[in-house]
Amino acid sequence: MASAHGRIGLSRVSEGRLALSLPSRATPPGQRVLLRISNLNVTRFYTLGSMGVPMTLVGMDAKLLRGPDGKNLYYTTNSVTLGGGQVVDAIIDIP
């Protein structure tokens, strides 16, 4: 994915683990970035780590994370594991 100022990239940390890298000039500090992360491989699981920057998962498989009563079920994590064809929506606050 390209932006006006740089590239958002994934790098392999180990077998089955990926790390997300955002260029420091792509988004000013203090801003929020919404990422839609998808696993297009139907036979492998991948774990994506944000390497010290927590991400808030707000959606999964094109649905907001909300309970039957409408209460938000968002959660903050440093990694997420995606199965084949799975999609998550994550918000990252740029430090």
Side-chain angles (χ1 to χ4, degrees), residues 26-45:
T27 304
Q31 295 292 313
R32 297 179 124 190
V33 176
L34 173 64
L35 300 174
R36 175 159 286 166
I37 305 164
S38 59
N39 179 2
L40 301 179
N41 189 330
V42 296
T43 60
R44 296 195 55 158
F45 284 80

Side-chain angles (χ1 to χ4, degrees), residues 1 7-13 17-22 35-39 46-50 82:
M1 174 181 231
R7 289 194 160 273
I8 296 173
L10 293 175
S11 57
R12 185 174 302 271
V13 175
R17 289 191 57 86
L18 301 172
L20 176 68
S21 62
L22 294 168
L35 300 174
R36 175 159 286 166
I37 305 164
S38 59
N39 179 2
Y46 289 102
T47 300
L48 177 74
S50 58
L82 298 171

Side-chain angles (χ1 to χ4, degrees), residues 3 14 22 24 31 33 37-38 41-43 47 57 61 63 65 67 73 79 87 90:
S3 72
S14 64
L22 294 168
S24 60
Q31 295 292 313
V33 176
I37 305 164
S38 59
N41 189 330
V42 296
T43 60
T47 300
L57 295 187
D61 297 327
K63 297 178 192 165
L65 291 176
L73 300 176
S79 68
V87 177

